[in-house]
Amino acid sequence: MSTPRPHTATQANGSAPGTRPPRSKIVKTLIGTGAGNAVEWYDWAIYATFASFIASQLFSKQDPSSAFLATLAIFAVGFVARPLGGFIFGWIGDKAGRKVSLTLCVGLASLGSLAIGLTPTYDSIGAGASLMLLIARLVQGLAHGGELPSAQTYLSEMAPPSRRGYWASLIYASGTVGILFGTLLGAVLSSAMPESAMAAYGWRIPFLLGAVFGLVALVMRSRMEESELFESEAAAHDAVIPGHPAPARGGLFADLARHWRQALQVIGLTVGLTVAYYVWGVSTPAYAINVLKIDAAEALWAGVAANLVFIVALPLWGRLSDRIGRKPVLLISGIGSAFLFFPATWFVHDSALQVGLAMSAMLVFIAGSASIMPAVYSELFPTAVRTIGVAIPYALCVAAFGGTAAYLQAGFGVWFGDAGPTAFALYTVALLLVGAATALSLREGRGVDLSNR
Protein backbone atom coordinates (compact mmCIF):
# COMPACT_ATOMS: atom_id res chain seq x y z
CA MET A 1 0.00 0.00 0.00
CA SER A 2 1.54 3.28 -1.08
CA THR A 3 1.90 6.22 1.26
CA PRO A 4 0.05 9.37 0.17
CA ARG A 5 2.34 12.19 -0.83
CA PRO A 6 2.30 15.24 1.39
CA HIS A 7 0.61 18.30 -0.05
CA THR A 8 3.04 20.86 -1.47
CA ALA A 9 1.90 24.46 -1.27
CA THR A 10 1.78 26.33 -4.53
CA GLN A 11 1.66 29.97 -5.31
CA ALA A 12 -1.50 31.70 -6.37
CA ASN A 13 -0.45 31.35 -9.95
CA GLY A 14 -0.04 27.64 -9.59
CA SER A 15 3.76 27.52 -9.64
CA ALA A 16 5.93 26.17 -6.89
CA PRO A 17 7.10 28.60 -4.22
CA GLY A 18 10.17 30.59 -5.18
CA THR A 19 9.62 30.18 -8.93
CA ARG A 20 8.40 32.74 -11.44
CA PRO A 21 5.57 31.93 -13.86
CA PRO A 22 6.54 31.78 -17.55
CA ARG A 23 6.95 35.21 -19.16
CA SER A 24 4.29 34.45 -21.78
CA LYS A 25 1.79 33.71 -19.02
CA ILE A 26 2.64 36.96 -17.22
CA VAL A 27 2.20 38.97 -20.43
CA LYS A 28 -1.16 37.37 -21.27
CA THR A 29 -2.43 37.92 -17.74
CA LEU A 30 -1.39 41.55 -17.43
CA ILE A 31 -2.30 42.68 -20.94
CA GLY A 32 -5.61 40.79 -21.07
CA THR A 33 -6.72 42.00 -17.65
CA GLY A 34 -5.46 45.57 -18.10
CA ALA A 35 -6.78 46.07 -21.63
CA GLY A 36 -10.24 44.79 -20.78
CA ASN A 37 -10.39 46.86 -17.62
CA ALA A 38 -9.30 50.01 -19.49
CA VAL A 39 -12.00 49.44 -22.12
CA GLU A 40 -14.71 49.07 -19.49
CA TRP A 41 -13.68 52.24 -17.62
CA TYR A 42 -13.47 54.04 -20.98
CA ASP A 43 -17.00 52.88 -21.89
CA TRP A 44 -18.31 54.07 -18.54
CA ALA A 45 -16.65 57.50 -18.68
CA ILE A 46 -17.42 58.58 -22.23
CA TYR A 47 -21.13 58.56 -21.48
CA ALA A 48 -20.64 61.44 -19.04
CA THR A 49 -18.22 63.20 -21.42
CA PHE A 50 -20.75 63.24 -24.27
CA ALA A 51 -23.94 63.51 -22.20
CA SER A 52 -24.96 66.87 -23.69
CA PHE A 53 -24.80 65.47 -27.25
CA ILE A 54 -26.70 62.33 -26.23
CA ALA A 55 -29.43 64.50 -24.70
CA SER A 56 -29.85 66.51 -27.90
CA GLN A 57 -30.05 63.45 -30.15
CA LEU A 58 -31.84 60.72 -28.19
CA PHE A 59 -34.40 62.80 -26.31
CA SER A 60 -37.03 65.36 -27.28
CA LYS A 61 -35.62 68.80 -28.18
CA GLN A 62 -38.69 70.59 -26.83
CA ASP A 63 -37.20 70.84 -23.32
CA PRO A 64 -33.38 70.68 -23.44
CA SER A 65 -33.05 70.90 -19.65
CA SER A 66 -35.33 67.93 -19.09
CA ALA A 67 -33.53 65.99 -21.82
CA PHE A 68 -30.16 66.56 -20.13
CA LEU A 69 -31.52 65.56 -16.72
CA ALA A 70 -33.03 62.40 -18.25
CA THR A 71 -29.63 61.59 -19.77
CA LEU A 72 -27.98 61.92 -16.36
CA ALA A 73 -30.75 59.84 -14.78
CA ILE A 74 -29.97 57.01 -17.19
CA PHE A 75 -26.30 57.34 -16.21
CA ALA A 76 -27.40 56.75 -12.60
CA VAL A 77 -29.41 53.70 -13.70
CA GLY A 78 -26.12 52.11 -14.69
CA PHE A 79 -25.00 52.33 -11.05
CA VAL A 80 -28.26 50.74 -9.91
CA ALA A 81 -27.63 47.75 -12.20
CA ARG A 82 -24.12 47.16 -10.86
CA PRO A 83 -25.09 45.14 -7.74
CA LEU A 84 -27.12 42.76 -9.91
CA GLY A 85 -24.16 42.47 -12.29
CA GLY A 86 -21.90 41.78 -9.33
CA PHE A 87 -24.20 38.98 -8.22
CA ILE A 88 -24.52 37.41 -11.69
CA PHE A 89 -20.89 37.61 -12.75
CA GLY A 90 -19.61 36.91 -9.25
CA TRP A 91 -21.59 33.67 -9.31
CA ILE A 92 -20.27 32.86 -12.81
CA GLY A 93 -16.71 33.61 -11.70
CA ASP A 94 -16.94 31.25 -8.72
CA LYS A 95 -18.76 28.48 -10.59
CA ALA A 96 -17.56 28.57 -14.21
CA GLY A 97 -14.24 30.38 -13.79
CA ARG A 98 -12.65 33.81 -13.54
CA LYS A 99 -11.72 33.83 -17.23
CA VAL A 100 -15.30 33.09 -18.31
CA SER A 101 -16.65 35.94 -16.18
CA LEU A 102 -14.02 38.41 -17.42
CA THR A 103 -14.65 37.54 -21.06
CA LEU A 104 -18.41 37.88 -20.74
CA CYS A 105 -18.09 41.21 -18.92
CA VAL A 106 -15.99 42.92 -21.56
CA GLY A 107 -18.15 41.48 -24.34
CA LEU A 108 -21.36 42.73 -22.73
CA ALA A 109 -19.94 46.20 -22.06
CA SER A 110 -18.82 46.52 -25.66
CA LEU A 111 -22.23 45.40 -26.89
CA GLY A 112 -23.73 48.24 -24.87
CA SER A 113 -21.32 50.75 -26.46
CA LEU A 114 -22.18 49.46 -29.92
CA ALA A 115 -25.89 49.84 -29.19
CA ILE A 116 -25.45 53.45 -28.03
CA GLY A 117 -23.31 54.30 -31.06
CA LEU A 118 -25.95 52.90 -33.45
CA THR A 119 -29.13 54.06 -31.70
CA PRO A 120 -31.38 56.05 -34.09
CA THR A 121 -32.21 59.62 -33.11
CA TYR A 122 -35.32 60.72 -31.25
CA ASP A 123 -36.45 62.47 -34.44
CA SER A 124 -36.35 59.10 -36.24
CA ILE A 125 -38.07 56.72 -33.81
CA GLY A 126 -39.31 58.91 -30.96
CA ALA A 127 -39.20 57.56 -27.42
CA GLY A 128 -37.76 54.30 -28.73
CA ALA A 129 -34.38 56.03 -28.90
CA SER A 130 -34.50 56.86 -25.19
CA LEU A 131 -35.59 53.29 -24.41
CA MET A 132 -32.70 51.81 -26.40
CA LEU A 133 -30.29 54.06 -24.52
CA LEU A 134 -31.74 52.90 -21.20
CA ILE A 135 -31.37 49.23 -22.15
CA ALA A 136 -27.80 49.75 -23.34
CA ARG A 137 -26.81 51.44 -20.08
CA LEU A 138 -28.46 48.67 -18.06
CA VAL A 139 -26.38 46.15 -20.01
CA GLN A 140 -23.21 48.16 -19.33
CA GLY A 141 -24.14 48.50 -15.66
CA LEU A 142 -24.43 44.72 -15.37
CA ALA A 143 -21.05 44.29 -17.06
CA HIS A 144 -19.32 46.85 -14.88
CA GLY A 145 -20.79 45.31 -11.76
CA GLY A 146 -18.98 42.09 -12.63
CA GLU A 147 -15.80 43.47 -14.22
CA LEU A 148 -13.94 44.89 -11.24
CA PRO A 149 -14.52 42.00 -8.79
CA SER A 150 -13.72 39.44 -11.48
CA ALA A 151 -10.58 41.28 -12.61
CA GLN A 152 -9.44 41.87 -9.03
CA THR A 153 -9.89 38.24 -8.09
CA TYR A 154 -8.25 36.87 -11.24
CA LEU A 155 -5.22 39.16 -11.05
CA SER A 156 -4.69 38.48 -7.34
CA GLU A 157 -4.86 34.71 -7.86
CA MET A 158 -2.47 34.82 -10.81
CA ALA A 159 0.09 37.04 -9.07
CA PRO A 160 3.07 35.61 -7.18
CA PRO A 161 2.29 36.13 -3.45
CA SER A 162 5.41 38.27 -2.97
CA ARG A 163 4.27 40.66 -5.74
CA ARG A 164 0.48 40.59 -5.32
CA GLY A 165 0.26 44.22 -4.19
CA TYR A 166 2.33 45.36 -7.16
CA TRP A 167 0.24 43.40 -9.64
CA ALA A 168 -2.98 44.66 -8.04
CA SER A 169 -2.06 48.25 -8.89
CA LEU A 170 -2.78 47.42 -12.55
CA ILE A 171 -6.55 47.64 -11.91
CA TYR A 172 -6.75 51.37 -11.14
CA ALA A 173 -3.79 52.20 -13.41
CA SER A 174 -5.40 50.63 -16.48
CA GLY A 175 -8.82 52.01 -15.56
CA THR A 176 -7.44 55.53 -15.27
CA VAL A 177 -5.72 55.14 -18.64
CA GLY A 178 -9.13 54.27 -20.11
CA ILE A 179 -10.74 57.35 -18.57
CA LEU A 180 -7.91 59.65 -19.71
CA PHE A 181 -8.08 58.29 -23.26
CA GLY A 182 -11.81 58.97 -23.37
CA THR A 183 -11.31 62.51 -22.06
CA LEU A 184 -8.53 63.27 -24.55
CA LEU A 185 -10.58 61.79 -27.40
CA GLY A 186 -13.46 64.08 -26.45
CA ALA A 187 -11.15 67.10 -26.46
CA VAL A 188 -9.66 66.18 -29.84
CA LEU A 189 -13.02 65.55 -31.51
CA SER A 190 -14.53 68.73 -30.10
CA SER A 191 -11.55 70.75 -31.37
CA ALA A 192 -11.37 69.10 -34.80
CA MET A 193 -15.08 68.99 -35.70
CA PRO A 194 -17.69 71.74 -35.97
CA GLU A 195 -20.30 71.62 -33.22
CA SER A 196 -23.00 70.74 -35.75
CA ALA A 197 -21.01 67.70 -36.89
CA MET A 198 -20.33 66.66 -33.31
CA ALA A 199 -24.05 66.83 -32.54
CA ALA A 200 -25.02 64.95 -35.69
CA TYR A 201 -22.57 62.06 -35.65
CA GLY A 202 -19.25 62.94 -33.98
CA TRP A 203 -20.43 61.93 -30.49
CA ARG A 204 -21.07 58.40 -31.79
CA ILE A 205 -17.41 57.82 -32.75
CA PRO A 206 -16.14 57.15 -29.19
CA PHE A 207 -18.89 54.58 -28.58
CA LEU A 208 -18.19 52.77 -31.84
CA LEU A 209 -14.47 52.80 -31.04
CA GLY A 210 -15.35 51.37 -27.62
CA ALA A 211 -17.06 48.44 -29.34
CA VAL A 212 -13.95 47.82 -31.47
CA PHE A 213 -11.63 48.08 -28.45
CA GLY A 214 -13.88 45.68 -26.61
CA LEU A 215 -13.68 43.13 -29.42
CA VAL A 216 -9.89 43.26 -29.24
CA ALA A 217 -9.98 42.86 -25.45
CA LEU A 218 -12.45 39.98 -25.85
CA VAL A 219 -9.97 38.13 -28.06
CA MET A 220 -7.17 38.82 -25.57
CA ARG A 221 -9.18 37.51 -22.65
CA SER A 222 -10.28 34.40 -24.52
CA ARG A 223 -6.59 33.49 -24.83
CA MET A 224 -5.78 33.97 -21.14
CA GLU A 225 -5.29 30.96 -18.89
CA GLU A 226 -7.71 30.19 -16.10
CA SER A 227 -6.56 30.79 -12.56
CA GLU A 228 -4.90 27.56 -11.41
CA LEU A 229 -6.06 28.27 -7.89
CA PHE A 230 -9.67 28.20 -9.12
CA GLU A 231 -9.02 25.05 -11.17
CA SER A 232 -7.46 23.22 -8.23
CA GLU A 233 -10.39 24.20 -6.00
CA ALA A 234 -12.87 22.95 -8.61
CA ALA A 235 -10.93 19.72 -9.08
CA ALA A 236 -10.85 19.09 -5.33
CA HIS A 237 -14.60 19.58 -5.14
CA ASP A 238 -15.28 17.27 -8.09
CA ALA A 239 -12.93 14.52 -6.96
CA VAL A 240 -14.70 11.48 -5.55
CA ILE A 241 -12.71 9.08 -3.37
CA PRO A 242 -14.11 5.51 -3.34
CA GLY A 243 -16.06 4.93 -0.19
CA HIS A 244 -16.29 8.65 0.62
CA PRO A 245 -19.00 11.14 -0.38
CA ALA A 246 -18.06 14.06 -2.61
CA PRO A 247 -17.06 17.17 -0.67
CA ALA A 248 -20.13 19.13 0.27
CA ARG A 249 -20.43 22.72 -0.77
CA GLY A 250 -23.01 24.97 0.83
CA GLY A 251 -25.55 26.99 -1.08
CA LEU A 252 -24.60 30.39 -2.43
CA PHE A 253 -26.40 32.44 0.20
CA ALA A 254 -25.20 30.14 2.98
CA ASP A 255 -21.61 30.65 1.81
CA LEU A 256 -22.08 34.40 1.75
CA ALA A 257 -23.73 34.41 5.17
CA ARG A 258 -20.73 32.64 6.66
CA HIS A 259 -18.52 35.47 5.43
CA TRP A 260 -20.67 38.43 6.48
CA ARG A 261 -17.82 39.93 8.49
CA GLN A 262 -15.55 40.03 5.42
CA ALA A 263 -18.39 41.54 3.37
CA LEU A 264 -18.72 44.36 5.91
CA GLN A 265 -14.96 44.88 5.75
CA VAL A 266 -15.20 45.29 1.96
CA ILE A 267 -17.84 47.99 2.47
CA GLY A 268 -15.85 49.70 5.23
CA LEU A 269 -12.71 49.79 3.10
CA THR A 270 -14.55 51.07 0.02
CA VAL A 271 -16.83 53.87 1.27
CA GLY A 272 -14.15 56.51 1.72
CA LEU A 273 -12.06 55.47 -1.26
CA THR A 274 -14.92 55.62 -3.78
CA VAL A 275 -16.09 59.10 -2.69
CA ALA A 276 -12.58 60.57 -2.34
CA TYR A 277 -11.55 59.18 -5.73
CA TYR A 278 -14.68 60.60 -7.37
CA VAL A 279 -14.05 64.06 -5.87
CA TRP A 280 -10.31 64.35 -6.58
CA GLY A 281 -9.89 62.05 -9.54
CA VAL A 282 -12.99 62.99 -11.53
CA SER A 283 -15.06 66.01 -10.46
CA THR A 284 -12.58 68.66 -9.29
CA PRO A 285 -11.91 70.08 -12.81
CA ALA A 286 -15.67 70.43 -13.39
CA TYR A 287 -16.03 72.15 -9.99
CA ALA A 288 -13.18 74.51 -10.90
CA ILE A 289 -14.82 75.37 -14.23
CA ASN A 290 -18.42 75.77 -13.07
CA VAL A 291 -17.97 77.22 -9.57
CA LEU A 292 -14.54 78.88 -9.49
CA LYS A 293 -14.76 80.04 -13.15
CA ILE A 294 -11.29 78.78 -14.03
CA ASP A 295 -10.55 78.42 -17.75
CA ALA A 296 -12.07 75.14 -18.93
CA ALA A 297 -9.15 73.93 -21.05
CA GLU A 298 -6.60 74.74 -18.35
CA ALA A 299 -8.64 73.00 -15.63
CA LEU A 300 -9.09 69.89 -17.76
CA TRP A 301 -5.37 69.69 -18.55
CA ALA A 302 -4.62 70.10 -14.85
CA GLY A 303 -6.88 67.11 -14.22
CA VAL A 304 -5.09 65.07 -16.87
CA ALA A 305 -1.69 65.90 -15.35
CA ALA A 306 -2.89 64.96 -11.84
CA ASN A 307 -4.22 61.62 -13.07
CA LEU A 308 -0.87 60.88 -14.68
CA VAL A 309 0.70 61.45 -11.25
CA PHE A 310 -1.91 59.01 -9.88
CA ILE A 311 -0.93 56.35 -12.43
CA VAL A 312 2.76 56.69 -11.52
CA ALA A 313 2.03 56.52 -7.76
CA LEU A 314 -0.08 53.35 -7.94
CA PRO A 315 2.66 50.75 -8.59
CA LEU A 316 4.97 52.45 -6.09
CA TRP A 317 2.40 51.96 -3.32
CA GLY A 318 1.82 48.40 -4.52
CA ARG A 319 5.52 47.60 -4.22
CA LEU A 320 5.66 49.21 -0.78
CA SER A 321 2.75 47.06 0.45
CA ASP A 322 4.66 43.95 -0.64
CA ARG A 323 7.53 45.09 1.59
CA ILE A 324 5.86 46.51 4.73
CA GLY A 325 2.34 45.04 4.54
CA ARG A 326 -1.17 46.03 3.46
CA LYS A 327 -2.34 47.51 6.77
CA PRO A 328 0.39 50.18 7.10
CA VAL A 329 -0.24 51.34 3.51
CA LEU A 330 -4.01 51.46 4.02
CA LEU A 331 -3.58 53.47 7.22
CA ILE A 332 -1.11 55.93 5.67
CA SER A 333 -3.42 56.37 2.70
CA GLY A 334 -6.68 56.74 4.61
CA ILE A 335 -5.43 58.98 7.41
CA GLY A 336 -3.24 61.00 5.03
CA SER A 337 -6.18 61.61 2.65
CA ALA A 338 -8.41 62.66 5.55
CA PHE A 339 -5.74 64.99 7.00
CA LEU A 340 -5.03 66.63 3.62
CA PHE A 341 -8.65 66.95 2.44
CA PHE A 342 -9.44 70.37 3.95
CA PRO A 343 -6.08 72.02 3.14
CA ALA A 344 -6.32 70.77 -0.47
CA THR A 345 -9.88 72.10 -0.75
CA TRP A 346 -8.91 75.53 0.63
CA PHE A 347 -5.83 75.69 -1.62
CA VAL A 348 -7.91 75.74 -4.84
CA HIS A 349 -9.03 79.31 -5.51
CA ASP A 350 -8.48 80.84 -8.91
CA SER A 351 -5.89 79.03 -11.03
CA ALA A 352 -5.47 75.78 -12.88
CA LEU A 353 -2.04 75.35 -11.25
CA GLN A 354 -3.75 75.19 -7.86
CA VAL A 355 -6.17 72.61 -9.25
CA GLY A 356 -3.35 70.44 -10.56
CA LEU A 357 -1.26 70.63 -7.38
CA ALA A 358 -4.19 69.93 -5.04
CA MET A 359 -5.44 67.02 -7.15
CA SER A 360 -1.93 65.56 -7.44
CA ALA A 361 -1.31 65.73 -3.69
CA MET A 362 -4.63 64.09 -2.86
CA LEU A 363 -4.33 61.44 -5.55
CA VAL A 364 -0.88 60.41 -4.31
CA PHE A 365 -2.45 59.48 -0.96
CA ILE A 366 -5.62 58.03 -2.49
CA ALA A 367 -3.40 55.85 -4.69
CA GLY A 368 -2.15 54.05 -1.59
CA SER A 369 -5.53 52.42 -0.99
CA ALA A 370 -6.57 52.19 -4.64
CA SER A 371 -3.38 50.37 -5.66
CA ILE A 372 -3.70 47.45 -3.25
CA MET A 373 -7.44 47.19 -2.63
CA PRO A 374 -7.85 44.38 -5.22
CA ALA A 375 -5.25 42.34 -3.33
CA VAL A 376 -6.78 43.17 0.05
CA TYR A 377 -10.27 42.14 -1.08
CA SER A 378 -9.00 38.82 -2.44
CA GLU A 379 -7.08 38.09 0.75
CA LEU A 380 -10.32 38.30 2.75
CA PHE A 381 -12.19 35.37 1.14
CA PRO A 382 -11.61 31.69 0.36
CA THR A 383 -11.36 30.65 -3.29
CA ALA A 384 -14.85 29.14 -3.52
CA VAL A 385 -16.61 32.47 -2.86
CA ARG A 386 -13.86 34.99 -3.59
CA THR A 387 -15.43 36.64 -6.64
CA ILE A 388 -19.01 36.91 -5.44
CA GLY A 389 -17.89 37.65 -1.88
CA VAL A 390 -16.19 40.79 -3.19
CA ALA A 391 -18.68 41.56 -5.98
CA ILE A 392 -21.89 42.02 -4.03
CA PRO A 393 -20.73 44.28 -1.15
CA TYR A 394 -18.41 46.21 -3.47
CA ALA A 395 -21.11 46.90 -6.07
CA LEU A 396 -23.66 47.87 -3.41
CA CYS A 397 -21.14 50.24 -1.84
CA VAL A 398 -20.14 51.89 -5.12
CA ALA A 399 -23.80 52.30 -6.11
CA ALA A 400 -24.80 53.77 -2.75
CA PHE A 401 -21.78 56.03 -2.16
CA GLY A 402 -20.03 56.49 -5.51
CA GLY A 403 -23.32 56.82 -7.39
CA THR A 404 -24.59 59.51 -5.02
CA ALA A 405 -21.34 61.46 -4.60
CA ALA A 406 -22.11 63.99 -7.35
CA TYR A 407 -25.66 64.48 -6.10
CA LEU A 408 -24.57 65.00 -2.50
CA GLN A 409 -21.71 67.30 -3.46
CA ALA A 410 -24.16 69.56 -5.31
CA GLY A 411 -26.98 69.00 -2.80
CA PHE A 412 -24.92 70.05 0.22
CA GLY A 413 -24.34 73.39 -1.53
CA VAL A 414 -28.11 73.85 -1.88
CA TRP A 415 -29.01 72.60 1.59
CA PHE A 416 -26.23 74.31 3.57
CA GLY A 417 -25.41 77.33 1.42
CA ASP A 418 -21.85 78.61 1.88
CA ALA A 419 -21.22 75.84 4.42
CA GLY A 420 -22.03 73.18 1.80
CA PRO A 421 -18.43 72.46 0.69
CA THR A 422 -17.34 72.15 4.33
CA ALA A 423 -20.24 69.81 5.10
CA PHE A 424 -19.42 67.59 2.13
CA ALA A 425 -15.74 67.57 3.12
CA LEU A 426 -16.69 66.47 6.65
CA TYR A 427 -18.83 63.70 5.17
CA THR A 428 -15.95 62.47 2.99
CA VAL A 429 -13.37 62.69 5.78
CA ALA A 430 -15.67 60.67 8.07
CA LEU A 431 -15.90 57.94 5.40
CA LEU A 432 -12.11 57.93 4.97
CA LEU A 433 -11.70 57.43 8.72
CA VAL A 434 -14.19 54.54 8.55
CA GLY A 435 -11.85 52.96 6.00
CA ALA A 436 -8.82 53.48 8.26
CA ALA A 437 -10.67 51.95 11.22
CA THR A 438 -11.67 48.98 9.07
CA ALA A 439 -8.04 48.49 8.03
CA LEU A 440 -7.15 48.00 11.70
CA SER A 441 -9.52 45.02 11.86
CA LEU A 442 -7.85 43.15 8.98
CA ARG A 443 -5.53 40.18 9.14
CA GLU A 444 -2.29 41.05 7.37
CA GLY A 445 -2.34 39.46 3.91
CA ARG A 446 1.12 40.33 2.57
CA GLY A 447 2.73 37.25 1.01
CA VAL A 448 0.06 34.75 2.11
CA ASP A 449 -0.90 31.76 0.01
CA LEU A 450 -4.49 32.44 -1.13
CA SER A 451 -5.23 28.72 -1.15
CA ASN A 452 -4.98 28.83 2.66
CA ARG A 453 -7.53 31.61 3.04
Side-chain angles (χ1 to χ4, degrees), residues 254-264 380-382 385 389:
D255 286 339
L256 290 175
R258 282 196 294 272
H259 298 92
W260 62 270
R261 189 182 303 276
Q262 291 92 328
L264 289 179
L380 289 173
F381 294 91
V385 293

Side-chain angles (χ1 to χ4, degrees), residues 82-92 145-146 252-253 256 388 391-392 395:
R82 288 177 73 148
L84 179 59
F87 178 86
I88 293 172
F89 289 102
W91 180 83
I92 291 173
L252 176 62
F253 291 104
L256 290 175
I388 198 167
I392 293 178

Side-chain angles (χ1 to χ4, degrees), residues 243-435:
H244 294 79
R249 180 179 290 181
L252 176 62
F253 291 104
D255 286 339
L256 290 175
R258 282 196 294 272
H259 298 92
W260 62 270
R261 189 182 303 276
Q262 291 92 328
L264 289 179
Q265 287 175 322
V266 170
I267 292 173
L269 291 168
T270 306
V271 286
L273 172 62
T274 188
V275 176
Y277 174 74
Y278 171 81
V279 171
W280 291 104
V282 179
S283 72
T284 293
Y287 173 81
I289 294 167
N290 296 317
V291 178
L292 302 179
K293 306 304 179 184
I294 294 173
D295 179 76
E298 292 181 0
L300 289 172
W301 279 112
V304 169
N307 273 282
L308 290 175
V309 171
F310 180 63
I311 291 172
V312 172
L314 286 165
L316 299 179
W317 282 111
R319 280 185 179 273
L320 183 63
S321 79
D322 287 330
R323 289 179 175 271
I324 68 173
R326 315 294 188 226
K327 292 175 70 171
V329 169
L330 290 174
L331 290 171
I332 294 170
S333 172
I335 295 173
S337 298
F339 181 80
L340 194 61
F341 199 99
F342 279 100
T345 301
W346 296 331
F347 181 73
V348 180
H349 285 295
D350 54 11
S351 79
L353 179 61
Q354 294 167 353
V355 173
L357 291 175
M359 287 182 66
S360 296
M362 283 298 302
L363 286 173
V364 165
F365 279 97
I366 292 169
S369 294
S371 66
I372 64 171
M373 207 60 83
V376 173
Y377 293 150
S378 295
E379 289 160 358
L380 289 173
F381 294 91
T383 303
V385 293
R386 183 167 290 130
T387 310
I388 198 167
V390 174
I392 293 178
Y394 179 84
L396 286 171
C397 186
V398 170
F401 292 90
T404 60
Y407 175 79
L408 290 177
Q409 189 175 28
F412 279 21
V414 175
W415 304 328
F416 301 107
D418 292 341
T422 301
F424 183 78
L426 287 170
Y427 164 75
T428 308
V429 166
L431 295 180
L432 286 168
L433 294 178
V434 168

